[in-house]
Amino acid sequence: MFCRLNLTIASNSMILKGYFKTIVKNKHLSHAYAFSGDNRNEKVDLTEYLVALLACEQSDDAIRPCGKCDTCQRIKEGNFPDMLFVEKDDQSVRVDQIRELKQWLFTTPVEADFKIAIIKDAESMNTSASNALLTVLEEPVENVYIILWVNHSSNLLPTIQSRVQTIFFDDKDYQGEQEEFIEQGYSCSQAMILSYFLSEETSLLLDNYTPESFEEWLKDYQLFYQKLVQQDKMSFVMVQTHLKKHFKPSTLSLMGADYLLFLNYHFMLHLIGMTAEEKLPSIYDKLFSHLKSSKQPPIQHLVELNQHLLNTKQAIQANVSAQLAYEQLSIKTNK
Ligand SMILES: [Zn+2]
């Protein structure tokens, strides 16, 4: 059985570049990202693209970054004064490296109107280095950006994870995994979502759900997402009536938030015309078209929703009850 679902959240570098271009153009770049995956070349490529996007001298937005001007060239050569790479020293990234980085970040830029630091092998930060970085992430400064390169974002401390936006570059065998789920009785579109989660999370879903009840899980979250996008106050009631039953164990409530982030990410791509048709099952095209036609939300609303969803995860990880965290999400979104 062939399922055209070879999907990761965003493995296609063209889509990612388009995504960042839109975000930068609308001035919605987050202050911190984790680039997660084994493929270092893709991380290098996207990082250079992003820095060039911010710094390129080319005045025509349409072809920015130009890749040719002096600035673009020096970014490629790693010779741009407002971009700094931090690499692990021996086995780990140490606390004094993070302290130095912090000092560097808060000095005035030399050429650009921003500063950006890239921490390579960010998962090798020891606990004190992680905590030092956390203080930077907790108090974001305008025009200061941090990118963490990691092999697996799940290796970062949850406190750090919840404060960065993760972009996945995956080498996982999605197709193989999805075929296994299909053999177990799951539909193509269910298999796609199951393979989107980390393997421990997927096992948790498989332990708690059957193909039928998992379909209900998906539908409940899709409906909730719809209400959030439409800023419909019913989303508050839905936490009790539709979602609460999916909140135990609490990891499942985090996965619900991840699924909402997934929907939000793809809906944003859909709105900016970057949907790769063959990559999402048609139910998502239907959902997004419906959302677009009923009352098209401004992209800014979706960017804010993204932040509220990250905050929801963070609250649950800090032991706030899932019901309360989701109710807060509903209230914040409806403001
Ligand atoms: Zn340029």
Side-chain angles (χ1 to χ4, degrees), residues 245-270:
K245 59 178 180 284
H246 302 303
F247 287 166
K248 278 201 174 111
S250 75
T251 308
L252 279 175
S253 67
L254 290 171
M255 294 170 68
D258 278 329
Y259 181 53
L260 293 167
L261 281 163
F262 167 91
L263 291 172
N264 200 45
Y265 175 85
H266 285 284
F267 186 37
M268 275 197 263
L269 288 184
H270 181 90

Side-chain angles (χ1 to χ4, degrees), residues 107-309:
T107 54
T108 318
V110 179
E111 279 187 33
D113 53 4
F114 66 91
K115 298 200 94 162
I116 187 162
I118 298 96
I119 304 180
K120 298 180 180 178
D121 308 301
E123 55 222 320
S124 73
M125 283 187 291
N126 59 29
T127 313
S128 46
S130 290
N131 287 332
L133 180 68
L134 199 56
T135 63
V136 186
L137 297 177
E138 277 169 344
E139 291 165 21
V141 176
E142 213 185 341
N143 300 323
V144 165
Y145 306 106
I146 296 172
I147 298 177
L148 309 176
W149 287 0
V150 288
N151 288 327
H152 302 285
S153 67
S154 54
N155 293 347
L156 291 170
L157 288 182
T159 43
I160 293 207
Q161 255 186 72
S162 64
R163 283 177 178 82
V164 302
Q165 205 165 323
T166 304
I167 303 290
F168 293 94
F169 303 81
D170 257 304
D171 289 338
K172 183 166 155 177
D173 174 16
Y174 285 87
Q175 185 126 1
E177 211 180 89
Q178 286 165 6
E179 276 161 13
E180 275 174 40
F181 296 136
I182 289 163
E183 273 168 32
Q184 291 171 41
Y186 289 89
S187 70
C188 278
S189 77
Q190 289 178 334
M192 191 268 289
I193 297 299
L194 285 169
S195 70
Y196 159 72
F197 290 111
L198 298 169
S199 39
E200 314 91 75
E201 295 178 335
T202 305
S203 317
L204 191 70
L205 269 174
L206 296 177
D207 288 348
N208 284 277
Y209 289 86
T210 62
E212 292 72 34
S213 58
F214 182 53
E215 194 56 30
E216 195 185 340
W217 187 92
L218 292 167
K219 291 251 162 67
D220 286 341
Y221 278 103
Q222 285 163 16
L223 186 62
F224 183 66
Y225 178 70
Q226 205 169 317
K227 301 285 176 206
L228 289 178
V229 169
Q230 294 169 336
Q231 295 181 289
D232 180 336
K233 294 198 165 52
M234 280 305 286
S235 63
F236 188 89
V237 181
M238 274 197 73
V239 177
Q240 175 75 33
T241 57
H242 289 68
L243 299 188
K244 197 182 170 188
K245 59 178 180 284
H246 302 303
F247 287 166
K248 278 201 174 111
S250 75
T251 308
L252 279 175
S253 67
L254 290 171
M255 294 170 68
D258 278 329
Y259 181 53
L260 293 167
L261 281 163
F262 167 91
L263 291 172
N264 200 45
Y265 175 85
H266 285 284
F267 186 37
M268 275 197 263
L269 288 184
H270 181 90
L271 285 183
I272 61 176
M274 300 286 308
T275 315
E277 256 176 61
E278 72 283 8
K279 291 207 167 176
L280 275 190
S282 59
I283 52 156
Y284 293 98
D285 286 335
K286 274 187 209 145
L287 174 69
F288 297 153
S289 300
H290 170 71
L291 280 173
K292 204 168 145 184
S293 63
S294 54
K295 180 190 163 200
Q296 182 165 344
I299 201 117
Q300 172 146 9
H301 173 56
L302 302 182
V303 173
E304 283 164 11
L305 178 55
N306 203 74
Q307 188 57 51
H308 294 321
L309 285 167

